[in-house]
Amino acid sequence: MSFLSLKQVSRFYGSVAAVHNFDLGVEKGEFISLLGPSGCGKTTTLQMIAGLVRPSSGTIMMGGRDITYMPPPQRQLGVVFQSYALFPHMTVAQNVSFGLEMRKVAKAERETRIKDILALVHLSALADRYPREMSGGQRQRVAIARALVINPPVLLLDEPLSNLDAQLREEMQFELRRIQQAVGITTIMVTHDQAEALSISDRVVVMEKGKITQVDTPYELYEHPRNDFISSFVGKSNFMPATAVANGAGTTISIGSTDITFETDAKTASKDVSVFIRPEKLRLTTPSNGQLQGTVTTRYFMGSQWLVSAATPAGVLAVAVPNLGAPPPLEGENVGLSWQHGDCRVLAAGAAE
């Protein structure tokens, strides 16, 4: 049995299902991200695990105990909120100590645990500072230290990096993962940022309209999305409307005037499908050498790469061109677009592959 499991968990507000039949098993020490757009039910799911929201149905088990309706204090979970919720009138050490004092931990043990946790989050030198005297990244680490110092069985993170600027947010992603791995704590994080989820999670749970659409490792989720929603929400994507017709060699996919044979399941045969390919898997070449021909409509310099759009018979496609010195063709120039066979995937819109 998984260390933390949710079985058929639902939460209704009137007739509206915020979360519906949610099934998930989380192993001890695993880092799980709940990923999805606003309103998909990810925060409600986290709140049900924390005990802040009561499930309408289903069961939540932790360490073999049924905690479905257990009050939050009895669950002893560590929670880091989006706002960090630090006490402004307390120093860093006092903020971290608060949970231990509420649990009546002896002073000598409190001091030892505070010292150890502040060292872990690299804040030992700031123990006497107040939150207003610290940067956003430092305040976030205080919030994590306060949640971890009580030795919780599970750490819950609700959009913990959303208040940070872009550069600091990226730095703190890896700092958060470092801390989680050092402690070995089971962690569930809510985020709407797909790059954040992919970079630091062991597995990612993609949610849409209160339901799970795919649970997978970051690599598998990115490379093998199950439907159009996941492939468009997780990373940038190109979709080419196509028609699939079965033949002896497999399935022929017609994209505009181009026919491509795929060795794919017969369930895609003889119907409209989407061919899905990531911008970084497309290559610009001369028109005569491309599997599709097109005309450059826009190009944007992004530093490490160029993002080029090309109008083709299959629609306007985005191409990520690495910045290796020479810039890509100018707007208005004719180009060819090519790809490796395995880089294209055939998806029946809205259905599993």
Side-chain angles (χ1 to χ4, degrees):
M1 180 183 293
S2 299
F3 177 67
L4 176 67
S5 66
L6 292 84
K7 296 182 179 179
Q8 294 291 292
V9 173
S10 298
R11 172 64 190 187
F12 286 86
Y13 293 97
S15 61
V16 177
V19 177
H20 188 57
N21 291 340
F22 189 98
D23 281 306
L24 180 66
V26 182
E27 302 306 318
K28 195 172 183 64
E30 194 173 18
F31 194 121
I32 296 285
S33 287
L34 304 182
L35 175 67
S38 297
C40 72
K42 56 189 185 294
T43 295
T44 300
T45 301
L46 194 81
Q47 290 173 338
M48 287 192 288
I49 297 171
L52 302 174
V53 169
R54 186 183 181 90
S56 301
S57 61
T59 305
I60 303 175
M61 303 287 293
M62 183 178 66
R65 294 189 305 157
D66 187 339
I67 66 168
T68 310
Y69 303 112
M70 184 180 290
Q74 294 181 23
R75 302 187 189 205
Q76 299 288 301
L77 305 182
V79 184
V80 176
F81 297 102
Q82 184 175 345
S83 64
Y84 310 148
L86 300 178
F87 299 113
H89 62 287
M90 293 184 180
T91 64
V92 168
Q94 290 168 341
N95 265 281
V96 174
S97 178
F98 183 78
L100 299 175
E101 293 176 19
M102 293 298 99
R103 290 161 176 78
K104 302 188 184 303
V105 175
K107 182 178 180 181
E109 183 181 349
R110 284 204 314 268
E111 292 176 350
T112 298
R113 286 165 68 171
I114 292 168
K115 180 181 178 180
D116 290 345
I117 201 68
L118 290 183
L120 177 69
V121 299
H122 299 164
L123 289 177
S124 298
L126 305 181
D128 295 327
R129 287 197 185 179
Y130 291 91
R132 64 179 178 274
E133 300 171 327
M134 308 177 75
S135 69
Q138 290 168 337
R139 289 196 297 271
Q140 192 246 18
R141 280 182 280 161
V142 175
I144 293 172
R146 186 176 62 181
L148 290 177
V149 77
I150 61 172
N151 295 327
V154 177
L155 176 64
L156 304 177
L157 306 170
D158 185 9
E159 300 273 10
L161 308 178
S162 61
N163 291 329
L164 305 179
D165 61 57
Q167 182 175 351
L168 183 56
R169 182 170 185 156
E170 183 174 330
E171 293 173 2
M172 289 306 301
Q173 289 175 16
F174 303 109
E175 181 70 1
L176 179 60
R177 180 59 164 166
R178 178 192 69 80
I179 294 168
Q180 185 268 337
Q181 289 183 315
V183 178
I185 189 171
T186 307
T187 301
I188 301 176
M189 179 178 73
V190 162
T191 182
H192 64 272
D193 186 322
Q194 50 91 13
E196 186 173 288
L198 294 179
S199 64
I200 61 176
S201 306
D202 293 311
R203 287 188 296 154
V204 179
V205 179
V206 181
M207 297 182 65
E208 180 187 15
K209 298 178 181 178
K211 297 182 179 180
I212 294 177
T213 55
Q214 186 170 348
V215 182
D216 234 321
T217 64
Y219 179 82
E220 287 298 318
L221 185 69
Y222 187 84
E223 292 291 335
H224 305 290
R226 289 183 181 170
N227 58 33
D228 286 358
F229 166 75
I230 298 169
S231 54
S232 60
F233 186 77
V234 180
K236 291 182 172 61
S237 307
N238 288 302
F239 293 96
M240 294 176 275
T243 303
V245 179
N247 60 37
T251 302
T252 298
I253 306 295
S254 296
I255 306 172
S257 59
T258 301
D259 290 342
I260 305 169
T261 299
F262 285 83
E263 295 178 2
T264 187
D265 196 297
K267 68 185 178 183
T268 62
S270 302
K271 63 180 181 181
D272 293 335
V273 296
S274 289
V275 174
F276 152 73
I277 188 168
R278 300 288 188 188
E280 68 271 16
K281 301 295 178 68
L282 286 171
R283 297 291 181 267
L284 294 181
T285 183
T286 58
S288 60
N289 290 327
Q291 287 147 287
L292 282 173
Q293 284 72 47
T295 303
V296 174
T297 56
T298 61
R299 60 177 201 163
Y300 298 104
F301 183 57
M302 313 294 288
S304 62
Q305 65 180 9
W306 292 80
L307 188 61
V308 177
S309 294
T312 77
V316 177
L317 303 181
V319 185
V321 181
N323 178 22
L324 300 177
L330 297 170
E331 295 173 0
E333 290 191 32
N334 294 327
V335 294
L337 286 80
S338 65
W339 58 85
Q340 297 296 316
H341 175 78
D343 291 337
C344 274
R345 307 192 66 78
V346 181
L347 298 175
E353 186 182 3

